[in-house]
Amino acid sequence: MFNKILIANRGEIAVRIARACRQMGILAVAVYSDVDKEALHVRSSDEAYHIGPSPAAESYLRGDKIIQVALEAGCEAIHPGYGFLSENAAFARAVTDARLVWIGPPPEAIDLMGSKIDSKLLAQRLGVPTVPGYNGEDQSAERLTEEANRIGYPVLIKASAGGGGKGMRVVRDSASMAESVQAAQREALSAFGDAAVLLEKYLERPRHIEVQVLGDNFGKLVHLGERECSIQRRHQKVLEESPSPIVTPEMREQITTWALSLAKAAGYTNAGTVEFIYQDGQFYFLEMNTRLQVEHPVTEEATGIDLVTAQIRIAAGEALWFRQEDVRLDKHGIEVRLYAEDPEHEFLPSTGKIAHFSCPRGVRLDTGYTAGDWIPQYYDPQIAKLIVSGKDRTDAVNAIAFALGESKIEGPRTNLDFLRWLVSFPEFRAGNLSTNFIDEYYSPGALALAPAPVVIGAGALLALCWRKPPANQTGSPFQAGGWRQAGQAIMASPVVSGVEYRCVFSAQAGKPGCWQVSASHGADEVYTGQVSLSFGDLERRRARRVGGVLQLQLDGEAAEYVMPFLFTADGRDGVLDFGSQSFAFEQAPALSTERLNPAVHLKNEDTLESPMPGKVLKVLIAEGEQVEESQPLLIIEAMKMEFVVRAPHDGTVATIHYPEGSQVAVGDVLAEMKK
Ligand code: ADP
């Protein structure tokens, strides 16, 4: 067995591999980029080496540097994880040329199966069904259009060297074919260095079902059953399970036989996945992934076989220690991927510091981050995976719903609420899945909204209750209305039970305690109209909390809502009772660069870089102006959110590079300061 392994990856998978090493008494060596200096994968390893700047191309994709580190650190093998260099045959060859062991399949198998065209040809030779399509050499727009007309629309154009759901386009008619072909080829060339595309009939409601295989270096190959990964957004998986709710023993026999024949023909060893799509009773081979998959834990839960330690044992030269008939899908495993992304805004990635992160005991948490860590903008926005198992699917679905309900994460926007919605949605519970599930059933408004009085009450407590009155006015800060100017609008962004709202309160002239209120969630209106509000007598409670009773009446309604509340004395969060229900609420994190990695927007002390691609919405200062530390300088609108770029220190604004309305890219220098 090895003494020391280098893990050429980051995030949860690097942490996961380091754990496997520890279990096996092997030393784990991490590599890291600038931004990952203190990342969890570094903290979880025995040794760690810096390999370059934050962009992946200059660090985690620098195969030469990684091999050099492995040699200098005295490692005997390299585990590539998934993504980055894991399916790079040239890197696998360079590793073996350096007399290190590659923990993965032979480079020839990566070459063959890494090409969607070549692997499809192999499948066709072996009689494994493939999606009707065209994967020929003639790449002219005329020929591809002709073939698309033959296949019938809609047609999917795929990059042969593509992956991760990238480089795919659906074309719905002949007229737009030529233009789409050219765009797809351009994209494929720039993203994957290979312009070749293939065509496939686009299936409208398929399911994604894949088979895990494992082979040793002595010709023995087994399968570990299937996983279903149909829940996807942008062709990327969000929730996976094993076994699939629709696969019968006969279907399993069929697809695993196909998977093993493909793996055998490719000379495959170590762990790999043969992917199929399924529609109307028919399976079609999609591609083979020649590496460990993100979703491997559901197979581990279902079979009890640890795939990462198995990979290491196989690479170290051990023969497979179990037979096919020993592999049983005894349990049902489910994994959900927790992403830093905004389901309300097309699942766009977000970044930021994790203020709090917890999940209940007994749930397997494969995470790349803990509370206090930053999620950098350079890599995949996956934070962690929650994995559960149960004796059957119902049991596992209940377990994951419980796990998600009890988990808490604060800081960046995440898909936690979306995942909660997903696992409680009736069609999901019934196992009626397809890769279009999210598009079909989910709309941002699908997340249950809190009742209007609760939203307004939480907004009022945050915005009106704790603000200090202006210096020339007297009165308690816990008094709404009295000292307000009529017409003055006050905004609040309460997060109630995890969903963010926006409330605007305008005081009404001559009517103390009466406000014009507009409350909304994204584009959805929660309430617009007049509201009378009073906070009653407030009592200080233990643990720096203030308690009281909020009375609230909506315009035109006879009933008055009486809602007891508890509120922290710093005015940031609390609990509001509405009937028999209690609603937790908190102030939404400020829309400012504090939510971003500070290393991202400061090249050096005086250079302010744009943290996001976006538009300069407002320039709040002029050149030559004196500013104080953390004074807002510019507002960038990015990913439909506003970011305030603040002064890093006291000083003078030397130059402003972009006027209002300019488009900026990540890293563009927005302004420069002088001390
Ligand atoms: P990648 O290598 O980028 O992951 P895949 O070929 O594995 O690409 O496909 C990823 C996803 O794209 C599938 O899970 C499925 O949702 C969708 N997809 C791929 N091919 C088709 C097709 N012919 N029809 C419909 N959806 C498809």
Side-chain angles (χ1 to χ4, degrees), residues 293-342:
Q293 299 271 96
V294 181
E295 60 273 21
H296 74 274
V298 294
T299 298
E300 299 184 324
E301 295 300 319
T303 61
I305 295 167
D306 184 313
L307 276 162
V308 178
T309 54
Q311 284 191 296
I312 296 172
R313 288 171 69 174
I314 289 168
E318 277 189 43
L320 265 185
W321 50 97
F322 56 86
R323 295 165 305 169
Q324 184 65 65
E325 42 286 23
D326 301 328
V327 179
R328 304 238 319 263
L329 298 176
D330 279 335
K331 284 184 158 182
H332 195 99
I334 296 188
E335 168 185 287
V336 291
R337 302 189 190 184
L338 183 64
Y339 283 106
E341 66 182 15
D342 188 357

Side-chain angles (χ1 to χ4, degrees), residues 116 156 158 163-165 200-201 203 208 232 235 275 287 435:
K116 288 192 204 289
L156 185 65
K158 281 188 185 180
E200 272 176 14
K201 173 95 191 145
L203 306 180
H208 176 116
Q232 307 181 346
H235 302 301
E275 298 189 327
E287 65 165 355
T435 60

Side-chain angles (χ1 to χ4, degrees), residues 192-213:
F192 310 108
D194 177 358
V197 296
L198 62 152
L199 303 181
E200 272 176 14
K201 173 95 191 145
Y202 180 66
L203 306 180
E204 297 275 11
R205 283 186 101 252
R207 300 174 77 125
H208 176 116
I209 294 166
E210 57 186 33
V211 176
Q212 176 71 53
V213 298

Side-chain angles (χ1 to χ4, degrees), residues 102-103 160 175 324 432 454 562 585 601:
W102 168 248
I103 304 177
S160 176
Q324 184 65 65
N432 296 331
V454 174
V562 178
F585 66 91
H601 78 283

Side-chain angles (χ1 to χ4, degrees), residues 55 95 114 124 126 141 173 217 236 265 335 346 379 423 449 458 477 479 549 579 610 639 672 674:
V95 169
Q124 285 159 357
L126 296 170
D173 53 49
N217 300 333
Q236 273 188 304
E335 168 185 287
E346 292 152 25
Y379 319 108
V423 300
L449 298 185
Q479 289 291 308
V549 177
S610 177
M639 296 173 169
E672 288 177 73
K674 282 197 302 243

Side-chain angles (χ1 to χ4, degrees), residues 323-568:
R323 295 165 305 169
Q324 184 65 65
E325 42 286 23
D326 301 328
V327 179
R328 304 238 319 263
L329 298 176
D330 279 335
K331 284 184 158 182
H332 195 99
I334 296 188
E335 168 185 287
V336 291
R337 302 189 190 184
L338 183 64
Y339 283 106
E341 66 182 15
D342 188 357
E344 303 284 297
H345 294 117
E346 292 152 25
F347 296 93
L348 284 175
S350 67
T351 59
K353 185 178 181 176
I354 300 178
H356 176 92
F357 184 18
S358 59
C359 87
R361 274 171 195 276
V363 174
R364 174 168 167 190
L365 177 70
D366 282 17
T367 184
Y369 303 88
T370 57
D373 289 342
W374 284 97
I375 301 185
Q377 54 146 355
Y378 298 98
Y379 319 108
D380 186 273
Q382 182 180 286
I383 300 170
K385 306 182 305 201
L386 270 69
I387 305 122
V388 297
S389 64
K391 64 179 189 324
D392 54 25
R393 187 171 193 269
T394 308
D395 211 26
V397 171
N398 287 336
I400 198 72
F402 172 79
L404 288 167
E406 298 281 305
S407 295
K408 191 169 176 194
I409 184 155
E410 286 169 2
R413 275 158 207 264
T414 73
N415 65 344
L416 180 59
D417 277 318
F418 164 79
L419 294 172
R420 289 175 179 156
W421 167 85
L422 173 63
V423 300
S424 61
F425 194 73
E427 291 295 314
F428 173 76
R429 292 215 159 220
N432 296 331
L433 315 181
S434 92
T435 60
N436 275 338
F437 189 96
I438 294 176
D439 285 345
E440 223 165 283
Y441 298 119
Y442 175 73
S443 62
L447 303 179
L449 298 185
V454 174
V455 173
I456 298 168
L461 285 165
L462 292 169
L464 308 178
C465 201
W466 65 284
R467 287 194 166 205
K468 285 205 171 58
N472 58 351
Q473 307 256 341
T474 53
S476 154
F478 295 106
Q479 289 291 308
W483 42 269
R484 295 265 161 229
Q485 302 286 315
Q488 183 187 0
I490 299 157
M491 287 218 306
S493 304
V495 177
V496 182
S497 303
V499 178
E500 187 172 334
Y501 300 86
R502 174 154 293 214
C503 300
V504 182
F505 297 87
S506 313
Q508 299 292 289
K511 292 193 202 162
C514 189
W515 303 81
Q516 174 69 29
V517 178
S518 132
S520 55
H521 166 68
D524 298 329
E525 179 182 294
V526 174
Y527 180 80
T528 304
Q530 287 202 0
V531 174
S532 47
L533 274 172
S534 81
F535 298 107
D537 290 331
L538 294 147
E539 334 164 3
R540 296 215 170 258
R541 304 259 176 96
R542 268 182 306 158
R544 305 188 63 242
R545 293 203 149 219
V546 176
V549 177
L550 174 66
Q551 283 164 292
L552 186 150
Q553 198 167 8
L554 304 182
D555 196 23
E557 284 189 15
E560 187 178 48
Y561 297 97
V562 178
M563 299 183 282
F565 65 86
L566 258 186
F567 198 38
T568 50

Side-chain angles (χ1 to χ4, degrees), residues 36-57:
D36 277 343
K37 190 166 171 222
E38 287 161 21
L40 184 62
H41 79 277
V42 170
R43 311 199 300 268
S44 314
S45 303
D46 297 290
E47 290 171 33
Y49 297 88
H50 178 242
I51 48 165
S54 306

Side-chain angles (χ1 to χ4, degrees), residues 255-322:
I255 55 175
T256 54
T257 304
W258 284 332
L260 290 174
S261 75
L262 272 158
K264 187 156 182 260
Y268 206 86
T269 64
N270 216 288
T273 297
V274 180
E275 298 189 327
F276 296 91
I277 47 177
Y278 172 86
Q279 188 174 292
D280 306 326
Q282 180 70 51
F283 282 94
Y284 306 93
F285 167 72
L286 205 55
E287 65 165 355
M288 181 164 190
N289 285 326
T290 54
R291 55 169 166 82
L292 188 68
Q293 299 271 96
V294 181
E295 60 273 21
H296 74 274
V298 294
T299 298
E300 299 184 324
E301 295 300 319
T303 61
I305 295 167
D306 184 313
L307 276 162
V308 178
T309 54
Q311 284 191 296
I312 296 172
R313 288 171 69 174
I314 289 168
E318 277 189 43
L320 265 185
W321 50 97
F322 56 86

